[in-house]
Amino acid sequence: QVQLVESGGGLVQEGGSLRLSCAASGLSFSRGVMKWFRRAPGKERVFVAAITWTGGNTYYTDSLKGRFTISGEYAKNTVYLQMNSLKPEDTAVYYCAADRDFIFRTFRTESDYWGQGTQVTVSS
């Protein structure tokens, strides 16, 4: 059974930082990709960042480049999302997701597996 377990969310003041973690188990992700999405209150879930297990290639939604960094600790099947200079508009539930295979056409919009999400709240 594939499991994605997020941690690291919480309440932070504007300008602060948080690091989210996603521990994956139950599947070999050697060819796949790990991702982060977020859903802000009243909005749709949107792509944030991704990292491929092979090559460690990273992808970001343009508006978050420079503030958010995705990284992977492959030996632990764990992916991180470092979030800096946080703004109130970053408030959202952040979801970890994973695909067995990296498909460039769809990785930003579809996922094979999802975590339960972790709440991030940025106060002004």
Side-chain angles (χ1 to χ4, degrees):
Q1 181 181 357
V2 176
Q3 281 193 315
L4 303 175
V5 180
E6 303 101 332
S7 61
L11 175 65
V12 63
Q13 287 190 330
E14 184 175 6
S17 298
L18 280 176
R19 189 177 80 155
L20 306 182
S21 300
C22 173
S25 62
L27 185 67
S28 172
F29 293 99
S30 60
R31 301 177 303 171
V33 57
M34 297 289 290
K35 303 176 282 185
W36 289 97
F37 290 76
R38 70 183 186 184
R39 187 196 303 270
K43 297 186 177 181
E44 294 184 352
R45 186 161 54 189
V46 296
F47 171 77
V48 172
I51 185 167
T52 60
W53 283 125
T54 302
N57 299 312
T58 58
Y59 303 86
Y60 298 91
T61 192
D62 287 344
S63 61
L64 297 176
K65 283 181 181 177
R67 292 197 300 122
F68 287 20
T69 303
I70 189 170
S71 61
E73 193 169 356
Y74 306 118
K76 295 184 177 181
N77 262 4
T78 299
V79 173
Y80 306 99
L81 184 68
Q82 178 68 42
M83 306 184 294
N84 298 327
S85 302
L86 284 163
K87 306 174 182 180
E89 51 263 43
D90 294 318
T91 294
V93 177
Y94 285 72
Y95 296 91
C96 178
D99 296 338
R100 292 182 298 272
D101 298 290
F102 176 60
I103 302 174
F104 186 81
R105 183 174 57 85
T106 60
F107 80 98
R108 289 181 177 89
T109 56
E110 300 174 10
S111 294
D112 294 331
Y113 306 101
W114 292 93
Q116 293 297 309
T118 185
Q119 176 70 47
V120 171
T121 303
V122 184
S123 63
S124 57

